[in-house]
């Protein structure tokens, strides 16, 4: 059996007390360091954090040291991702109200906007060869005034300069968090289906969040999570497996990490820990998984970046 070692890079402290009288409790801080992306050389992590009061983009080394702030927008900047050669970072920004795709140099210089379409453009990631970017967008939704969850979020690709935008899916539902397999032949993503399932807090839902894998042209979508639980945040391993998060363990607002083959076979529980393990990013050798480990309720959320190490 593999030995699993978990290290919390950015720590949170928890103190439990016995209430002696009727009181009111309000959390005044809720620092979140999340959406880690490990560089191809396994030396740096780019992530988002609200530690300054607004969500901005930062980098640090793999042990959580030498933290450098890259964006100073006083607006939400989120979901960063390294280019394969480590020279650029693609991310989202709500600087101009809508969520748009931006790109910058690895040191934060030369920030430029790639999409200016009305509607949500989010979750950008580079292709394995670094030639283009995959992302999801609500731009084809017939009514952008309705709630986000009722819009159509489809998957698109574009060149790294924002040109040659191509629509990949036409599912007319929520399809988000896409990424391209190491061999460039498939896409894993989260898709909302019309089957009943469970929300993140385990309340019942009329629709279900699942993880799918499809060909690069959008054909042959396969439900690889195939569970009534809330499944999402898929990521590829170096050998073409899919790691994702699921609350099928039966605890509200918590999730464990699972691994599955790209055809949906051989689902394996990778790691379970109190709280939620989501937004996995896997090292080039496949031995470490960086993820967001958080504690969440209907009233608060806070957490940090953790690394899970597999030792044979």
């Amino acid at each position: 059996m593999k030995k699993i070692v978990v290290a919390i890079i950015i720590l949170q402290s928890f103190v439990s007390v016995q209430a002696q009288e009727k009181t009111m409790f309000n959390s005044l801080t809720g620092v979140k360091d999340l959406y880690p992306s490990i560089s191809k050389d396994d030396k740096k992590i780019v992530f988002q954090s609200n530690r300054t009061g607004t969500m901005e983009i930062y980098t640090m080394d793999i042990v959580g040291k030498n933290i450098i702030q890259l964006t100073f927008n006083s607006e939400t900047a989120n979901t960063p991702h390294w280019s394969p050669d480590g020279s650029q970072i693609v991310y989202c920004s709500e600087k101009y109200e809508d969520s748009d795709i931006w790109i910058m140099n690895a040191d934060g210089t030369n920030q430029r906007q790639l999409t200016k379409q009305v509607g949500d453009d989010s979750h950008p990631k580079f292709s394995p060869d670094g030639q283009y970017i995959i992302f999801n967008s609500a731009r084809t939704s017939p009514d952008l005034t309705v709630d986000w969850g009722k819009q159509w979020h489809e998957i698109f690709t574009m060149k790294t300069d924002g040109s040659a935008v191509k629509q990949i899916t036409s599912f007319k539902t929520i399809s988000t968090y896409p990424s391209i397999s190491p061999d460039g032949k498939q896409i894993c993503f989260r898709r909302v289906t019309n089957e009943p399932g469970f929300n993140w807090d385990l309340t019942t839902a009329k629709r279900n969040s699942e993880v799918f894998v499809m060909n690069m042209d959008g054909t042959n979508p396969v439900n690889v999570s195939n569970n009534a639980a809330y499944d999402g945040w898929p990521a590829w391993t170096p050998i073409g497996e899919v790691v994702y998060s699921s609350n099928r363990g039966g605890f509200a607002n918590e999730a464990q990490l699972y691994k599955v083959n790209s055809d949906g076979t051989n689902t394996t529980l990778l790691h379970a820990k109190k709280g939620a393990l989501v937004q996995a990013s896997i090292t080039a050798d496949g031995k470490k998984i960086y993820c967001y480990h958080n504690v969440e309720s209907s009233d608060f959320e806070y957490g940090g970046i953790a690394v899970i190490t597999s030792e044979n």
Side-chain angles (χ1 to χ4, degrees):
M1 293 182 64
K2 291 183 178 181
K3 180 182 178 183
I4 302 295
V5 180
V6 180
I8 304 299
I9 294 180
I10 301 176
L11 298 176
Q12 298 289 344
S13 298
F14 306 93
V15 179
S16 178
V17 297
Q18 180 72 35
Q20 300 299 315
E21 59 184 34
K22 185 177 181 180
T23 62
M24 291 184 64
F25 175 85
N26 291 294
S27 179
L28 297 181
T29 60
V31 175
K32 293 179 284 188
D33 298 314
L34 62 166
Y35 283 102
S37 173
I38 183 77
S39 59
K40 274 292 185 182
D41 62 7
D42 294 342
K43 292 182 178 180
K44 286 187 176 182
I45 299 168
V46 64
F47 65 104
Q48 70 181 71
S49 176
N50 66 343
R51 58 182 59 204
T52 62
T54 58
M55 201 65 77
E56 303 287 1
I57 305 299
Y58 298 78
T59 58
M60 64 181 178
D61 61 32
I62 57 172
V63 294
K65 305 292 185 181
N66 302 314
I67 297 175
I68 300 173
Q69 184 173 348
L70 300 184
T71 62
F72 300 84
N73 296 323
S74 298
E75 298 288 348
T76 297
N78 54 57
T79 61
H81 187 256
W82 287 104
S83 64
D85 65 1
S87 66
Q88 293 182 303
I89 296 167
V90 66
Y91 64 104
C92 287
S93 174
E94 296 178 18
K95 186 175 183 179
Y96 302 120
E97 190 173 350
D98 279 329
S99 176
D100 289 303
I101 310 298
W102 288 62
I103 197 170
M104 61 182 168
N105 295 337
D107 61 0
T109 60
N110 196 23
Q111 297 178 12
R112 54 205 185 274
Q113 186 176 359
L114 297 183
T115 65
K116 300 179 181 180
Q117 195 82 18
V118 176
D120 179 280
D121 294 331
S122 57
H123 298 123
K125 292 183 178 69
F126 282 96
S127 60
D129 61 7
Q131 297 301 304
Y132 56 99
I133 294 166
I134 191 167
F135 64 103
N136 56 264
S137 175
R139 62 184 63 194
T140 62
S141 189
D143 186 359
L144 291 171
T145 65
V146 301
D147 181 76
W148 187 96
K150 295 181 180 179
Q151 297 174 17
W152 298 349
H153 300 264
E154 304 290 358
I155 295 173
F156 294 78
T157 59
M158 64 181 173
K159 291 184 178 180
T160 57
D161 62 359
S163 65
V165 177
K166 180 181 179 181
Q167 185 173 347
I168 304 299
T169 65
S170 296
F171 295 135
K172 299 180 180 179
T173 184
I174 298 174
S175 299
T176 63
Y177 213 77
S179 64
I180 301 172
S181 60
D183 63 7
K185 295 180 179 181
Q186 292 181 300
I187 299 169
C188 67
F189 63 104
R190 174 207 174 213
R191 176 179 167 184
V192 174
T193 69
N194 289 322
E195 289 79 20
F198 292 94
N199 293 310
W200 184 241
D201 62 1
L202 289 182
T203 56
T204 57
K206 293 182 180 179
R207 298 195 295 171
N208 190 24
S209 177
E210 298 275 23
V211 171
F212 278 75
V213 172
M214 64 183 176
N215 296 331
M216 272 302 303
D217 61 1
T219 60
N220 193 33
V222 177
N223 185 344
V224 298
S225 56
N226 196 24
N227 195 285
Y230 189 105
D231 304 305
W233 300 283
W236 292 100
T237 70
I239 60 173
E241 300 162 315
V242 178
V243 172
Y244 65 96
S245 302
S246 176
N247 65 358
R248 64 186 64 188
F251 297 97
N253 304 308
E254 296 189 10
Q256 299 78 43
L257 289 176
Y258 291 82
K259 183 173 68 174
V260 66
N261 293 334
S262 61
D263 62 358
T265 61
N266 196 28
T267 298
T268 305
L269 173 64
L270 285 181
H271 195 75
K273 185 175 178 63
K274 185 66 177 175
L277 298 171
V278 297
Q279 303 157 9
S281 180
I282 302 150
T283 55
D285 61 8
K287 293 184 178 180
K288 292 183 179 181
I289 300 174
Y290 289 83
C291 62
Y292 175 46
H293 174 235
N294 75 305
V295 175
E296 182 180 351
S297 75
S298 58
D299 299 319
F300 64 86
E301 177 186 345
Y302 49 91
I305 297 171
V307 55
I308 301 171
T309 304
S310 175
E311 297 179 352
N312 291 321

